[in-house]
């Protein structure tokens, strides 16, 4: 049935347009297969179809992204292009007739009515099926966010695979275009009161006052590591694969949390950075940087007003709209595009720039440094090989795992360079270094041996030693770093109260164990803060 509606929809230009414009029928015939191919690759990578606003998330069509996407391509996927290709020979043979045949007005009216009535009926049936499926399976439909929209299931990104199944390619494309429609959320008094209540909840600062008060004038480097799985640190060979990380995780002056559960959404790396900087949850249905990157947010840099600050990334400043989030998070400077995109040994340039900045920036300072070399795909090696020369362990592994662990080892060596450089500059002992993954590796990019849904956290030179075995959430890093840096009072003008984020510090007297999935009410309120631009 859906095929009939699709055919009527796609053939409409042939019947309705004047003959000289019929070449335009190739636009949908070529667009839809390419559109669906990109959707399938994204679905295989991230478990859902992409949100239309991802095209607004900056320069996402770079070599790394395309390499990652095409690593999921299977030969059979190319069959989706076959129907359009098979139309080329008959079009060439009958081109004159196709481009000259005209239809009388009654025929056009009949076709137009057929095109409207048949798809409308079929799509109505399909919508009813989607609605029943959503109701039976309790698919997430957040009524507090979309309460004024009557066709609620259509607005939930998690339903897109079902939309494709029940509605077909055309309606999926229309739905993706509708994602770009400007969305304005106006808070009612009840929602505003709930937000102020959760932001103004009583907070504990005893640890910041007692254990970490001496850290207030220390430097802070937040090192966000690309795709850093917790599973690496749990391997028996961890001391060989990443000796610097292994040493820091067991140092008597380090805090080590083996499992920080990943909570990123469609924004991936940008979502991880958002949680670490703001203590808020990201959006579930779209990358927040696509529409809300320029909004104002509470942030670590703003909570450390006496610290000079900068952000350092390898990629271009347009990637994931870093140019906007740098401002939103309160950083005074962004260093980017460090080697003009050669995509070889990227972390070497990141650490080189970091040491250059630490040598010149006024102190105390706060730097956010984001690495790049561990980005998927792992079917080929992008870094200098080292482990394969010395380790028999890698020879028995899946090629993807071996290449991934080589990239971990490469980052570890660059981390060693950073520590040696800080020591030469005489500031290592006065610098807290927080190391955490932005998210775990995407599904199927490594074998089950290394797959997991958590990242490790190491805070070196913390001022105390702690190995915290219970899992925590990504959003918990914000209050943990406030504690470690001795921040006791970061007051928001919107509430007039101390802000510690929506997570829980492990230094609270009653810390919560991470679940990876916060209460829907808390996450819904966090989304309302973003969508309504509450902090502007």
């Amino acid at each position: 049935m859906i095929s009939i509606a699709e055919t009527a929809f796609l053939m409409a230009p042939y019947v309705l347009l004047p003959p000289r414009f019929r070449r335009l029928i190739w636009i949908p015939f070529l667009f839809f297969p390419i559109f669906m191919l990109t959707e399938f690759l994204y679905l295989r990578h991230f478990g859902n179809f992409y949100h239309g606003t991802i095209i607004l998330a900056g320069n996402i069509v770079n070599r790394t992204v395309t390499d990652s996407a095409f690593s999921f391509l299977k030969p059979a996927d190319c069959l989706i292009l076959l129907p359009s290709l098979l139309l080329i020979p008959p079009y060439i043979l009958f081109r004159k007739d196709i481009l000259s045949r005209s239809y009388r007005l009654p025929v056009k009216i009949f076709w137009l009515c057929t095109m409207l009535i048949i798809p409308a009926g079929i799509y109505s049936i399909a919508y009813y099926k989607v609605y029943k499926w959503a109701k039976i399976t309790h698919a997430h439909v957040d009524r507090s966010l979309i309460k004024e929209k009557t066709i609620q299931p259509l607005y939930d990104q998690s339903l897109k695979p079902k939309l494709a199944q029940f509605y077909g390619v055309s309606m999926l494309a229309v739905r993706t275009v509708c994602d770009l429609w400007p969305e304005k959320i106006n808070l009612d008094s009840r929602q505003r009161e709930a937000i102020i209540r959760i932001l103004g909840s009583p907070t504990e600062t005893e640890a910041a006052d007692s254990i970490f008060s001496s850290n207030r004038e220390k430097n802070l480097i937040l090192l966000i590591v690309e795709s850093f799985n917790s599973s690496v640190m749990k391997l028996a060979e961890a001391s060989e694969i990443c000796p610097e990380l292994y040493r820091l995780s067991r140092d008597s002056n380090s805090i080590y949390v083996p499992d920080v559960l990943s909570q990123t959404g469609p924004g991936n790396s940008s979502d991880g950075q958002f949680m670490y900087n703001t203590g808020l949850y990201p959006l579930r249905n779209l990358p927040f940087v696509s529409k809300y990157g320029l909004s104002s947010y509470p942030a670590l840099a703003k909570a450390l007003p006496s610290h000079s600050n900068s952000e350092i990334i390898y990629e271009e400043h347009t990637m994931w709209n870093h140019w906007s989030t740098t401002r939103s998070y309160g950083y005074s400077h962004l260093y980017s595009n460090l080697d003009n995109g050669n995509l070889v040994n990227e972390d070497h340039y990141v650490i080189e720039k970091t040491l250059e900045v630490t040598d010149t920036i006024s102190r105390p300072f706060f730097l956010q440094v984001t690495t790049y070399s561990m980005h998927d795909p792992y079917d080929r090696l992008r870094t200098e090989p080292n482990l394969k020369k010395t380790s028999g362990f890698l020879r028995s592994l899946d090629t993807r795992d071996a290449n991934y662990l080589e990239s971990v080892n490469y980052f570890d060596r660059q981390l060693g360079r950073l520590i040696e450089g800080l020591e030469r500059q005489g500031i290592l002992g006065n610098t807290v270094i927080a190391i955490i993954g932005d998210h775990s590796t995407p599904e199927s990019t490594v074998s089950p041996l290394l797959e997991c849904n958590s990242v490790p956290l190491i805070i070196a030179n913390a001022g105390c030693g702690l190995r915290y075995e219970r899992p925590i959430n990504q959003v918990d890093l914000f209050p943990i770093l406030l504690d470690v840096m001795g921040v006791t009072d970061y007051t928001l003008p919107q509430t007039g109260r101390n802000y510690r984020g929506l997570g829980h510090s492990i230094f609270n007297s009653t810390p919560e164990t991470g679940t990876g999935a916060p209460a829907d009410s808390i996450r819904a309120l966090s989304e309302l803060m973003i969508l309504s631009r509450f902090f502007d």
Side-chain angles (χ1 to χ4, degrees):
M1 291 177 67
I2 291 297
S3 298
I4 297 173
E6 296 274 87
T7 302
F9 180 77
L10 294 176
M11 287 300 296
Y14 174 73
V15 177
L16 301 179
L17 292 177
R20 65 180 180 276
F21 293 120
R22 285 195 185 138
R23 290 187 179 88
L24 297 176
I25 63 174
W26 284 104
I27 295 177
F29 285 157
L30 294 176
F31 166 77
F32 283 112
I34 295 173
F35 167 71
M36 285 309 300
L37 183 60
T38 60
E39 286 278 21
F40 286 146
L41 291 177
Y42 193 90
L43 177 67
R44 194 170 289 150
H45 199 315
F46 298 109
N48 203 344
F49 292 143
Y50 55 77
H51 196 276
T53 57
I54 199 166
I55 66 174
L56 304 177
N59 179 23
I60 59 168
V61 188
N62 62 17
R63 181 177 158 188
T64 300
V65 174
T66 53
D67 283 355
S68 177
F70 282 112
S71 69
F72 287 86
L73 184 67
K74 298 177 181 178
D77 295 336
C78 297
L79 292 176
I80 198 170
L81 304 174
L82 188 59
S84 293
L85 296 177
L86 291 177
L87 286 173
I88 295 176
Y91 176 81
I92 294 174
L93 288 174
F94 303 104
R95 182 179 55 190
K96 289 184 179 179
D97 186 52
I98 291 172
L99 298 179
S100 61
R101 182 184 295 272
S102 59
Y103 294 92
R104 295 182 178 179
L105 183 61
V107 175
K108 292 183 178 181
I109 293 174
F110 173 79
W111 189 272
L112 182 62
C113 293
T114 302
M115 187 192 73
L116 292 176
I117 293 171
I118 293 180
I122 293 174
Y123 289 147
S124 298
I125 295 171
Y127 171 76
Y128 179 69
K129 289 181 179 180
V130 172
Y131 187 82
K132 281 185 65 178
W133 173 83
K135 191 173 182 180
I136 292 170
T137 59
H138 303 287
H140 173 73
V141 179
D142 193 335
R143 297 177 185 274
S144 68
L145 296 182
I146 53 177
K147 60 181 182 179
E148 296 178 0
K149 296 182 172 67
T150 55
I151 311 179
Q152 291 178 347
L154 293 182
Y155 286 84
D156 194 329
Q157 183 73 0
S158 66
L159 301 185
K160 264 195 171 182
K162 283 295 177 183
L163 291 176
Q165 176 183 340
F166 290 134
Y167 283 87
V169 178
S170 302
M171 288 303 289
L172 179 64
V174 170
R175 168 65 174 83
T176 302
V177 172
C178 288
D179 290 339
L180 299 171
W181 191 262
E183 190 170 13
K184 175 68 173 177
I185 298 293
N186 294 313
L187 300 177
D188 59 32
S189 59
R190 178 185 57 83
Q191 292 167 330
R192 185 170 293 276
E193 287 171 7
I195 289 173
I196 292 175
R197 185 165 57 251
I198 195 173
L199 290 178
S201 299
T203 56
E204 295 185 24
T205 59
E206 287 83 355
D209 261 332
S210 55
I211 305 173
F212 301 109
S213 58
S214 61
N215 287 351
R216 287 173 186 155
E217 295 305 313
K218 283 188 176 181
N219 309 309
L220 171 62
I221 297 178
L222 174 56
L223 193 56
I224 302 177
V225 185
E226 174 66 42
S227 303
F228 187 17
N229 281 4
S230 292
S231 55
V232 175
M233 300 293 291
K234 299 175 184 178
L235 293 172
E237 297 80 6
S239 61
E240 178 185 358
I241 295 167
C242 46
E244 199 65 42
L245 288 164
Y246 185 84
R247 178 186 67 80
L248 290 176
S249 69
R250 282 153 178 77
D251 190 89
S252 60
N253 200 27
S254 291
I255 298 167
Y256 176 44
V257 183
D259 291 295
V260 181
L261 301 178
S262 182
Q263 297 174 299
T264 56
N268 302 304
S269 298
S270 63
D271 283 354
Q273 294 161 21
F274 177 74
M275 284 184 279
Y276 300 154
N277 276 278
T278 68
L280 299 171
Y281 292 101
L283 299 176
R284 283 169 287 196
N285 289 341
L286 71 152
F288 92 97
V289 296
S290 61
K291 289 184 176 181
Y292 306 98
L294 264 180
S295 299
S296 181
Y297 298 101
L300 275 174
K302 300 172 186 178
L304 298 168
S306 63
H307 288 58
S308 305
N309 60 68
S310 288
E311 181 181 3
I312 300 171
I313 62 173
Y314 170 80
E315 61 268 38
E316 294 180 0
H317 68 285
T318 53
M319 182 72 172
W320 289 116
N321 285 341
H322 270 289
W323 63 271
S324 63
T325 55
T326 294
R327 300 179 193 176
S328 298
Y329 301 156
Y331 294 109
S332 59
H333 193 82
L334 172 65
Y335 298 92
S336 61
N337 198 23
L338 299 185
D339 82 324
N340 298 314
N342 290 332
L343 296 180
V344 178
N345 300 327
E346 299 94 341
D347 290 352
H348 168 85
Y349 300 97
V350 172
I351 298 305
E352 186 174 64
K353 175 57 70 174
T354 302
L355 289 173
E356 178 186 316
V357 173
T358 57
D359 198 33
T360 56
I361 193 171
S362 59
R363 299 161 188 165
F365 61 74
F366 166 42
L367 299 182
Q368 177 180 291
V369 181
T370 306
T371 71
Y372 203 81
S373 291
M374 288 165 58
H375 201 292
D376 67 289
Y378 310 114
D379 52 359
R380 60 181 177 83
L381 192 60
R382 290 212 317 257
T383 60
E384 298 170 355
N386 181 57
L387 286 176
K388 291 179 181 178
K389 298 176 183 177
T390 59
S391 175
F393 167 64
L394 259 62
R395 299 189 189 104
S396 62
L397 296 180
D398 182 298
T399 301
R400 296 168 300 167
D401 292 352
N403 289 338
Y404 175 70
L405 293 178
E406 280 281 14
S407 67
V408 173
N409 176 262
Y410 179 77
F411 162 71
D412 189 81
R413 284 180 279 148
Q414 300 310 309
L415 175 62
R417 280 184 59 221
L418 173 64
I419 291 173
E420 290 173 5
L422 295 175
E423 192 166 23
R424 281 195 309 272
Q425 294 172 4
I427 59 173
L428 177 61
N430 200 41
T431 303
V432 177
I433 305 174
I435 305 165
I436 191 169
D438 57 355
H439 53 74
S440 52
T441 54
E443 187 177 355
S444 302
T445 55
V446 293
S447 80
L449 173 69
L450 295 179
E451 270 191 350
C452 67
N453 191 40
S454 61
V455 298
L457 166 65
I458 302 171
I459 305 179
N461 293 340
C464 77
L466 173 66
R467 183 184 175 101
Y468 192 83
E469 294 291 353
R470 288 187 290 180
I472 66 172
N473 296 323
Q474 280 188 293
V475 77
D476 296 335
L477 180 65
F478 182 85
I480 290 172
L481 287 181
L482 290 183
D483 280 343
V484 170
M485 296 307 294
V487 178
T488 58
D489 186 18
Y490 173 37
T491 303
L492 293 182
Q494 290 81 5
T495 64
R497 295 186 182 180
N498 191 22
Y499 176 72
R500 311 296 281 188
L502 301 184
H504 299 271
S505 172
I506 58 177
F507 300 104
N508 281 359
S509 57
T510 55
E512 292 192 2
T513 299
T515 62
D520 276 348
S521 59
I522 296 176
R523 188 144 196 174
L525 287 174
S526 182
E527 294 193 352
L528 279 174
M529 295 179 213
I530 299 170
L531 297 175
S532 66
R533 305 182 190 275
F534 178 79
F535 300 101
D536 283 358

